[in-house]
Every structure is written in structure tokens, then in C-alpha cells.
Amino acid sequence: MKIFIDCTHTAKHTYKNTGIHRVVRELTSELLQISSNRTDIEIVAVMFDGSFMRRVTNLNKQQDDHLIEVNKYFALTKINIKFQALVLKLRNKFINFFYRLNLIDWFDSNSVNKKVFIEFEDSIIQSGDIYVIADANWDLPKTYYRFLQLLKRHKVTIVVICYDLIPIKFPEFSSKRFTKAFTKFYSDYSTLFDKVLCISKKSAEDYSNAKIQGILANNNSQIIQSFRLGSNYYKQDLLLSEGNNSFDVKLQEFLNKKYILVVGSLVPHKNIKTIIAAFDLLINSSHNVFLVFAGNKGWDSETDNLIESNKVYGKLIQILGSVTDAQLDFLYQNCYCLVQASFYEGFGLPVVEALQHCKPVIASNGGSLPEVGGDFCRYFSPTQPRELYEALKELLDSDIYYNNLVDRIRNEYIPFSWQESAEEFLSCLYN
């Protein structure tokens, strides 16, 4: 049996290394490793090319290229990223235009859809094979829907990984364009999904509720399950560059600094405003501590301005942008604590990654964060900056309290690996 893992967005955007893209890379890598030791399944990483799927051979370009001189070329990289995004949008619009004119006809007498079988790399796709939409494929052209219909007609099981429904539940946290594309994807495509695998019980609950409310297709035969995500890295990748990489040299400067770490894209639902407000209270109370953001800037210029206009930006507040696994591992190892202040999360990878590094985590009680962090985190209301400030102050004011918390995490917290995540994922596919 073949299990196709659709990695389209991650394969096209190799510079992204947090959130969904991290899950796609880590989960796919582990599934491929498991597949290499088994004879009953074959895992195939693929991407959609506008008409059909093709094999993906490398999802880790970022690690291969080491993303050196990140700060030096940040502006140029940002322009290049925007250009690539524009090209992809124009390409999809071009395909959709010709599709509406019926110049791309999936159903004429010569169409692959009329064949009694379909092939992938000279082998026949069998009834019972599985196609997993693992990536953020919400902006693909309309031909993607026809492609999935084709697979279903040939008895291929269609599975989607649902990370969260934030743009549907909280449209104010996303751009209007993204909210429209995301909502349309799930409302249109949900009829095709045989299984929905969510990354937390909370996300599974949200999906079920959206069906009951009529937001998503109420397909009674559709199976909704959840599986856990991992938190470990491949150790062979965790080497900082020496000497010639000015970005890694800059990271070394944090060795002797006490810094609060925030990981993830700087987007509205991450609740940056509360983090900055709490940090201002810390600084005003004479606490000597730094605030480090590791993640790309998002679509919301107001969030960027909120950070960059702060009086201690560039001094006590730093935005590092995109980081490699090695750099992120270094940041986790040497941080004082992690803050995850999101209004809502479908899982919250930084929480388990920080706990795996035996670091205290102060998290909001939004979405699945209490489910993921359990009783190893200190929680606060995302609308109350003072609660976050008081939690941070309690850590900073007492070395005994801080060290006891670290010891408890080290002795009692049991990390969940990506291998275990992949095995649980496969179990959901079979059951």
C-alpha cells in the first residue's frame, strides 16, 4: 500500500521552519524512515504541480544551505520571498482562468479521468492507497480539487491533517484574503475527506463542532481523530557554523544573557501585544532581562510596528527572523524561559520543544495549550498582560522557585518524539 504525503507548500517554501512546515518536515522524515524498514507500506512525499502529483526528494533545503548570513541578507531575502509568493499567485490565477474557460478539461474523452487506472512513476495507484494532505494547501488552483476527485473515483482514501480552524473561529486574527481562502478550502473540500486527523483533542473538537454548526460538510462517514506531535530534532543537524557565520556569532552573544524566548511567526493570534506589555512592566520594575523573538514577521504591519517602536527594541528586544534547527536548538538550550501567549493554538509546538529542553514555560490558556503543556506550565489569561508579568516576575525573583521548576520538568516530564508521533499517525490511518 502506498501512502502519499502531500508536502506542496513546504516543498515550495523551504525558508519556512516553524509551525506547519516544521510538522510536515519532521513527520514526513520519520514516516519515510519507518517505511524503509517495512514491506507492507511505501511512504511517498509528493507535491501538486497544477495537474497531478510528483515526487519530492528534499524538504530540508534550509538545513542543507545553513541559511548563513541571515541578518545581512534579510531585506533581500524578504523581497525574494514576496516575489516567489507573487509568482505562485499569478500561476494559480492563470490556471484557474483557463480552467473556467474549459481549456483545462479533466473530463473529455482523452482525460486521465476516463482511464480504468491511474499511474504514478510507472506504477498503478491501487484502491486502498492513501493520500494525506499534510500541508497548508489552501491557496492551490481549482485543478487540485479535480485531482482529489480523481483519486476518490479510484478508491484512494483522502486524509487531511487539520492543524486548527483559527481563521474560521477567529477571523479577526487573519487577513481577509487568507480567511476567505482558508474558509473556502475547508467548506469546499471537506466533502472529499474520508478522515480528518487533528493535532490535538481540542482541534478535533473544533472540527466536529464546525460540522454540527453547518460550517463544514456534515459527512457522517467521515472519521475524526487526533494524534500528538513530537518535539525532538535530528542531532546531526544541530551544529552551529563556526567563524564565518556572523548570525551564529551573534547567537553566541546570548550565552551570557538572561533572555525570554518567543518562537513563531509574528502574527496577531500570537498575542504579541500582551508580551510587549508584560515585558515593559518587567523593565520598569528594574529586571535585567532580554526578550528574543525567533520567527518570521507576519502579514500584519501593526504587530511589527508594535515591537519595532518600543523604546528598548534593538537593545533588550531582538527579532531574529527565520532560524535553522541548530540555531533554534541553541536558543532553547540557553533561554531563561519560553513564553507562548497565543489567544489560541491548535497545538503549540514551542511549548513541548521548550519542555523537552527542560525550560520553564509560561503559556496562555488559549485553545489546546493546557492540553499540550499539562501541569508543567504556568498559565495565564491571554487578555491579562499583568498575569504574564506576575508569572515572569515570580520566576525572576526566586532562584529557588526557578530551579525547583526546572528540576521537576527534568525528572517528570516525558517528551514525545517525532518517531512516536509518526507511529501514532500511522495507527490513526489504519484504524
Side-chain angles (χ1 to χ4, degrees), residues 17-28:
N17 197 38
T18 56
I20 291 176
H21 302 89
R22 171 169 294 285
V23 176
V24 172
R25 285 192 178 94
E26 299 291 349
L27 185 61
T28 304

Side-chain angles (χ1 to χ4, degrees), residues 276 302-313 317:
I276 294 296
E302 185 177 333
T303 300
D304 298 340
N305 293 335
L306 178 68
I307 301 172
E308 294 171 351
S309 63
N310 191 280
K311 62 183 179 181
V312 294
Y313 174 69
I317 299 177

Side-chain angles (χ1 to χ4, degrees), residues 167-179:
I168 294 175
K169 286 177 65 69
F170 306 102
E172 66 272 21
F173 293 149
S174 303
S175 67
K176 291 182 179 179
R177 179 180 295 179
F178 177 72
T179 298

Side-chain angles (χ1 to χ4, degrees), residues 251 259 261 294 320 323 327-335:
L251 286 184
Y259 62 91
L261 181 63
L320 298 181
V323 293
Q327 292 159 352
L328 186 56
D329 182 70
F330 176 89
L331 289 168
Y332 277 129
Q333 284 184 33
N334 296 285
C335 73

